[in-house]
Amino acid sequence: QNMAHRVLLGYSDEDLHGLTPALHLGDETFRKVSGEFIETGRYAGEVRSRRKDGQWLDFSLSAFGIYDDKGDVLCYVGIMRDISERKRQEAVLRESEARFSAIFEQSTAGIAQTDLTGRFMLVNDRYCEMTGRSREMLLTLRMQDITHPDDLPANLDNFRSLAEDRGGSFVIEKRYLKPDGSLVWVHNEVSAIRDVTGRKRYITAVAADITEKKKAEHFIRRITDVVPGILYVYDLEERR
């Protein structure tokens, strides 16, 4: 073994003398590696190795034989690269993705993710229900395709400012057009998602259906137009 192997796994040359790599790979992994080695003459893959202190580390392993002129094996060489940190980050990412997926699918709000041009990339069930379209249909459309034409100019201005880094997150109330021609009023909170380099990659909208609220506001406006005198409206949610 070289110095890097000695430092990574903590075994001295005396510890390894006369033993197989099963000492740190474990019997099952060693059998797997040996079997592929016998069959193909080499091995390339990811393995877990146990340090002398009992800690397990992740490695990428490339192993091959060194042969003499007659084709007989002189020795076997294994090159190991520590990928423990990469594996840890992958586990953290999987956990994060699982949490996001649970929130995404179970949310009572409609959630949609688009690219920087407005094309839908991800939508949850509530968003499909809200817009009256299947997930498959929405993924062929853009945000612009389902927004009421009268609401589109202001929406697009904010959207492009966010996508082009000229503006930040924004909130907008607008109407979605369903395939049957009916309208859905929504309160949208829109923000950007960046990649590891800080570049904006996606736009996310969290939509709440406020159609009933808009109908109530319209009804109240009609009443105020015909009722003489003072009319007071008490909002149960906003306490005013």
Coordinates of all heavy atoms in Angstrom, one line a residue, residues 5-56:
H5 N -3.1 5.3 1.0 CA -4.0 4.2 1.4 C -3.8 4.0 2.9 O -4.7 3.7 3.6 CB -3.5 2.9 0.6 CG -4.5 1.8 0.8 ND1 -4.3 0.9 1.9 CD2 -5.5 1.3 0.1 CE1 -5.3 0.0 1.8 NE2 -6.0 0.2 0.7
R6 N -2.5 4.1 3.4 CA -2.2 3.9 4.8 C -2.9 5.0 5.7 O -3.5 4.7 6.7 CB -0.7 4.0 5.0 CG -0.2 3.6 6.4 CD 1.3 3.6 6.5 NE 1.9 2.7 5.6 CZ 2.7 3.1 4.5 NH1 2.9 4.4 4.3 NH2 3.2 2.2 3.7
V7 N -2.9 6.2 5.2 CA -3.6 7.3 5.9 C -5.1 7.2 5.9 O -5.8 7.4 6.9 CB -3.1 8.7 5.3 CG1 -4.0 9.8 5.9 CG2 -1.7 8.9 5.6
L8 N -5.7 6.9 4.7 CA -7.1 6.8 4.6 C -7.7 5.7 5.5 O -8.7 5.9 6.1 CB -7.5 6.6 3.1 CG -7.6 7.8 2.3 CD1 -7.8 7.4 0.8 CD2 -8.7 8.8 2.7
L9 N -7.1 4.5 5.4 CA -7.7 3.4 6.1 C -7.1 3.1 7.5 O -7.7 2.3 8.3 CB -7.6 2.1 5.2 CG -8.4 2.2 3.9 CD1 -8.3 0.9 3.2 CD2 -9.9 2.5 4.3
G10 N -5.9 3.6 7.7 CA -5.3 3.5 9.1 C -4.6 2.2 9.3 O -4.2 1.9 10.5
Y11 N -4.5 1.3 8.3 CA -3.8 0.0 8.5 C -2.3 0.2 8.2 O -1.9 0.8 7.3 CB -4.4 -1.1 7.6 CG -5.8 -1.4 7.9 CD1 -6.8 -0.9 7.1 CD2 -6.1 -2.3 8.9 CE1 -8.2 -1.2 7.4 CE2 -7.5 -2.6 9.2 CZ -8.5 -2.1 8.4 OH -9.8 -2.4 8.7
S12 N -1.5 -0.5 9.1 CA 0.0 -0.5 8.8 C 0.2 -1.6 7.8 O -0.6 -2.5 7.5 CB 0.7 -0.8 10.1 OG 0.5 -2.1 10.5
D13 N 1.4 -1.7 7.2 CA 1.8 -2.7 6.3 C 1.7 -4.1 7.0 O 1.3 -5.1 6.4 CB 3.2 -2.5 5.8 CG 3.3 -1.3 4.9 OD1 2.2 -0.9 4.4 OD2 4.4 -0.8 4.7
E14 N 2.1 -4.1 8.3 CA 2.0 -5.3 9.1 C 0.6 -5.8 9.3 O 0.3 -7.0 9.3 CB 2.7 -5.1 10.5 CG 4.2 -4.9 10.4 CD 4.6 -3.5 9.9 OE1 3.7 -2.6 10.0 OE2 5.7 -3.4 9.4
D15 N -0.3 -4.9 9.4 CA -1.8 -5.2 9.6 C -2.3 -6.0 8.3 O -3.1 -6.9 8.5 CB -2.6 -4.0 9.8 CG -2.4 -3.3 11.1 OD1 -2.0 -4.0 12.1 OD2 -2.5 -2.1 11.2
L16 N -1.8 -5.6 7.2 CA -2.3 -6.1 5.9 C -1.5 -7.3 5.4 O -2.0 -8.0 4.5 CB -2.3 -5.0 4.8 CG -3.2 -3.8 5.1 CD1 -3.0 -2.8 4.0 CD2 -4.6 -4.2 5.3
H17 N -0.4 -7.6 5.9 CA 0.5 -8.6 5.4 C -0.2 -10.0 5.5 O -0.6 -10.4 6.5 CB 1.8 -8.6 6.2 CG 2.8 -9.7 5.7 ND1 3.4 -9.5 4.4 CD2 3.2 -10.9 6.2 CE1 4.2 -10.5 4.2 NE2 4.1 -11.4 5.3
G18 N -0.2 -10.7 4.4 CA -0.8 -12.0 4.3 C -2.3 -12.1 4.3 O -2.9 -13.2 4.2
L19 N -3.0 -10.9 4.3 CA -4.4 -10.9 4.3 C -5.0 -10.4 2.9 O -4.3 -9.7 2.2 CB -4.9 -10.0 5.4 CG -4.5 -10.4 6.8 CD1 -5.0 -9.4 7.8 CD2 -5.1 -11.8 7.1
T20 N -6.2 -10.6 2.7 CA -6.9 -10.2 1.4 C -7.6 -8.8 1.7 O -7.8 -8.5 2.9 CB -7.9 -11.2 0.9 OG1 -9.0 -11.2 1.8 CG2 -7.3 -12.6 0.8
P21 N -8.0 -8.1 0.7 CA -8.7 -6.9 0.9 C -10.1 -7.1 1.6 O -10.8 -6.1 2.0 CB -9.0 -6.3 -0.5 CG -7.8 -6.9 -1.3 CD -7.6 -8.2 -0.7
A22 N -10.5 -8.3 1.8 CA -11.7 -8.6 2.6 C -11.6 -8.0 4.0 O -12.7 -7.8 4.6 CB -12.0 -10.1 2.7
L23 N -10.4 -7.8 4.5 CA -10.2 -7.2 5.8 C -11.0 -5.9 5.9 O -11.6 -5.6 6.9 CB -8.7 -7.0 6.0 CG -8.4 -6.2 7.3 CD1 -8.7 -7.1 8.5 CD2 -6.9 -5.8 7.3
H24 N -10.9 -5.0 4.9 CA -11.5 -3.7 5.0 C -12.7 -3.6 4.0 O -13.6 -2.8 4.3 CB -10.5 -2.6 4.7 CG -9.8 -2.7 3.3 ND1 -10.4 -2.2 2.2 CD2 -8.6 -3.2 3.0 CE1 -9.5 -2.5 1.2 NE2 -8.5 -3.1 1.6
L25 N -12.8 -4.5 3.0 CA -14.0 -4.4 2.1 C -15.2 -5.2 2.7 O -16.3 -4.9 2.4 CB -13.7 -5.0 0.7 CG -12.7 -4.2 -0.2 CD1 -12.4 -5.0 -1.4 CD2 -13.3 -2.8 -0.5
G26 N -14.9 -6.2 3.5 CA -15.9 -7.1 4.0 C -16.0 -8.3 3.0 O -15.7 -8.2 1.8
D27 N -16.5 -9.4 3.5 CA -16.5 -10.6 2.7 C -17.4 -10.5 1.5 O -17.0 -11.0 0.4 CB -16.9 -11.8 3.6 CG -15.9 -12.2 4.7 OD1 -14.7 -11.9 4.5 OD2 -16.3 -12.7 5.7
E28 N -18.5 -10.0 1.7 CA -19.5 -9.9 0.5 C -19.0 -9.1 -0.6 O -19.0 -9.5 -1.8 CB -20.9 -9.4 1.0 CG -21.9 -9.4 -0.1 CD -23.3 -8.9 0.5 OE1 -23.5 -8.9 1.7 OE2 -24.1 -8.6 -0.4
T29 N -18.5 -7.9 -0.3 CA -18.0 -7.0 -1.3 C -16.7 -7.6 -2.0 O -16.5 -7.6 -3.2 CB -17.6 -5.6 -0.7 OG1 -18.8 -5.0 -0.2 CG2 -17.0 -4.7 -1.8
F30 N -15.9 -8.2 -1.2 CA -14.7 -8.9 -1.7 C -15.0 -10.0 -2.7 O -14.4 -10.1 -3.7 CB -13.8 -9.4 -0.6 CG -12.5 -10.0 -1.1 CD1 -11.6 -9.3 -1.7 CD2 -12.3 -11.4 -0.9 CE1 -10.4 -9.9 -2.2 CE2 -11.1 -12.0 -1.4 CZ -10.2 -11.2 -2.0
R31 N -16.1 -10.8 -2.3 CA -16.5 -11.8 -3.3 C -17.0 -11.3 -4.6 O -16.7 -11.8 -5.7 CB -17.6 -12.7 -2.6 CG -17.0 -13.7 -1.6 CD -18.1 -14.8 -1.3 NE -19.2 -14.2 -0.6 CZ -19.4 -14.0 0.7 NH1 -18.4 -14.4 1.5 NH2 -20.4 -13.5 1.2
K32 N -17.7 -10.2 -4.5 CA -18.3 -9.5 -5.7 C -17.1 -9.0 -6.6 O -17.1 -9.2 -7.8 CB -19.2 -8.4 -5.3 CG -19.7 -7.5 -6.5 CD -20.5 -6.4 -5.9 CE -20.9 -5.5 -7.1 NZ -21.7 -4.2 -6.7
V33 N -16.2 -8.3 -6.0 CA -15.1 -7.7 -6.7 C -14.2 -8.9 -7.3 O -13.8 -8.8 -8.5 CB -14.2 -6.8 -5.8 CG1 -12.9 -6.4 -6.5 CG2 -15.0 -5.6 -5.3
S34 N -13.9 -9.9 -6.5 CA -13.1 -11.0 -7.0 C -13.8 -11.7 -8.1 O -13.2 -12.1 -9.1 CB -12.9 -12.0 -5.8 OG -12.2 -11.4 -4.8
G35 N -15.1 -11.9 -8.0 CA -15.9 -12.6 -9.1 C -15.8 -11.9 -10.4 O -15.6 -12.5 -11.5
E36 N -16.0 -10.6 -10.4 CA -15.9 -9.8 -11.6 C -14.4 -9.8 -12.1 O -14.2 -9.8 -13.3 CB -16.4 -8.4 -11.4 CG -16.5 -7.6 -12.6 CD -17.3 -6.3 -12.5 OE1 -18.2 -6.3 -11.6 OE2 -16.9 -5.3 -13.1
F37 N -13.5 -9.8 -11.2 CA -12.1 -9.8 -11.6 C -11.8 -11.1 -12.3 O -11.1 -11.1 -13.4 CB -11.2 -9.7 -10.3 CG -10.0 -8.9 -10.6 CD1 -9.8 -7.6 -10.1 CD2 -8.9 -9.4 -11.3 CE1 -8.7 -6.9 -10.3 CE2 -7.7 -8.7 -11.5 CZ -7.6 -7.4 -11.0
I38 N -12.2 -12.2 -11.8 CA -12.0 -13.5 -12.4 C -12.6 -13.6 -13.8 O -12.1 -14.1 -14.8 CB -12.5 -14.6 -11.5 CG1 -11.6 -14.7 -10.3 CG2 -12.5 -16.0 -12.3 CD1 -12.2 -15.7 -9.2
E39 N -13.8 -13.0 -13.9 CA -14.6 -13.1 -15.2 C -14.0 -12.1 -16.2 O -14.0 -12.5 -17.4 CB -16.0 -12.7 -14.9 CG -17.0 -12.9 -16.1 CD -18.4 -12.7 -15.7 OE1 -18.8 -12.8 -14.6 OE2 -19.2 -12.3 -16.7
T40 N -13.6 -10.9 -15.9 CA -13.2 -9.9 -16.9 C -11.8 -9.5 -16.8 O -11.3 -8.8 -17.7 CB -14.1 -8.7 -16.7 OG1 -13.8 -8.0 -15.5 CG2 -15.6 -9.0 -16.8
G41 N -11.1 -9.8 -15.7 CA -9.7 -9.4 -15.5 C -9.6 -8.0 -15.0 O -8.5 -7.5 -14.8
R42 N -10.7 -7.3 -14.6 CA -10.6 -6.0 -14.0 C -11.9 -5.7 -13.2 O -12.9 -6.4 -13.3 CB -10.4 -4.9 -15.1 CG -11.5 -4.8 -16.1 CD -11.2 -3.7 -17.1 NE -9.9 -3.9 -17.7 CZ -8.9 -3.1 -17.6 NH1 -9.0 -2.0 -16.8 NH2 -7.7 -3.3 -18.2
Y43 N -11.9 -4.6 -12.5 CA -13.1 -4.2 -11.7 C -13.1 -2.7 -11.7 O -12.0 -2.0 -11.5 CB -13.1 -4.8 -10.3 CG -14.3 -4.3 -9.5 CD1 -15.5 -5.0 -9.6 CD2 -14.2 -3.2 -8.7 CE1 -16.6 -4.5 -8.9 CE2 -15.3 -2.7 -8.0 CZ -16.5 -3.4 -8.1 OH -17.6 -2.9 -7.4
A44 N -14.3 -2.1 -11.9 CA -14.5 -0.7 -11.7 C -15.8 -0.5 -11.1 O -16.8 -0.9 -11.6 CB -14.3 0.0 -13.0
G45 N -15.9 0.2 -9.9 CA -17.1 0.4 -9.3 C -16.9 1.2 -8.0 O -15.8 1.6 -7.6
E46 N -18.0 1.3 -7.2 CA -18.0 2.0 -5.9 C -18.1 0.9 -4.8 O -18.9 0.0 -4.9 CB -19.1 3.0 -5.8 CG -19.0 4.1 -6.8 CD -20.1 5.2 -6.7 OE1 -21.0 5.0 -5.9 OE2 -20.0 6.2 -7.4
V47 N -17.3 1.1 -3.8 CA -17.3 0.1 -2.7 C -17.2 0.9 -1.4 O -16.9 2.1 -1.3 CB -16.1 -0.8 -2.8 CG1 -16.1 -1.7 -4.0 CG2 -14.8 0.0 -2.7
R48 N -17.6 0.2 -0.3 CA -17.4 0.8 1.0 C -16.3 0.0 1.7 O -16.1 -1.2 1.6 CB -18.7 0.6 1.9 CG -19.9 1.3 1.3 CD -20.9 1.6 2.3 NE -20.6 2.7 3.1 CZ -21.0 2.9 4.4 NH1 -21.7 2.0 5.0 NH2 -20.6 4.0 5.1
S49 N -15.4 0.8 2.4 CA -14.3 0.2 3.1 C -14.3 0.6 4.5 O -14.6 1.7 4.9 CB -13.0 0.7 2.4 OG -12.2 -0.4 1.9
R50 N -13.9 -0.4 5.4 CA -13.9 -0.1 6.8 C -12.5 0.2 7.3 O -11.5 -0.5 7.1 CB -14.4 -1.4 7.6 CG -14.5 -1.1 9.1 CD -15.1 -2.4 9.8 NE -14.2 -3.6 9.5 CZ -14.7 -4.7 8.9 NH1 -16.0 -4.8 8.6 NH2 -13.9 -5.7 8.7
R51 N -12.3 1.4 7.9 CA -11.1 1.8 8.4 C -10.7 0.9 9.6 O -11.6 0.2 10.2 CB -11.1 3.3 8.9 CG -11.1 4.3 7.8 CD -11.2 5.7 8.4 NE -10.4 5.9 9.6 CZ -9.1 6.3 9.6 NH1 -8.5 6.6 8.4 NH2 -8.5 6.5 10.7
K52 N -9.5 1.0 10.1 CA -9.0 0.2 11.2 C -9.8 0.6 12.5 O -10.1 -0.3 13.3 CB -7.5 0.4 11.4 CG -6.9 -0.5 12.5 CD -5.4 -0.3 12.6 CE -4.9 -1.3 13.7 NZ -3.4 -1.1 13.8
D53 N -10.2 1.9 12.5 CA -11.0 2.3 13.7 C -12.5 2.0 13.6 O -13.2 2.4 14.5 CB -10.8 3.8 14.0 CG -11.3 4.7 12.8 OD1 -12.0 4.1 11.9 OD2 -11.0 5.9 12.8
G54 N -12.9 1.3 12.6 CA -14.3 0.8 12.5 C -15.2 1.7 11.6 O -16.3 1.4 11.3
Q55 N -14.7 2.9 11.3 CA -15.5 3.8 10.5 C -15.5 3.4 9.0 O -14.5 2.9 8.4 CB -14.8 5.2 10.5 CG -15.6 6.3 9.7 CD -14.9 7.6 9.6 OE1 -13.8 7.8 10.3 NE2 -15.5 8.6 8.9
W56 N -16.7 3.5 8.4 CA -16.9 3.1 7.0 C -16.7 4.3 6.1 O -17.3 5.4 6.4 CB -18.2 2.4 6.8 CG -18.3 1.0 7.3 CD1 -18.7 0.6 8.6 CD2 -17.9 -0.2 6.6 NE1 -18.6 -0.7 8.7 CE2 -18.1 -1.3 7.5 CE3 -17.5 -0.5 5.3 CZ2 -17.9 -2.6 7.2 CZ3 -17.2 -1.8 5.0 CH2 -17.4 -2.8 5.9

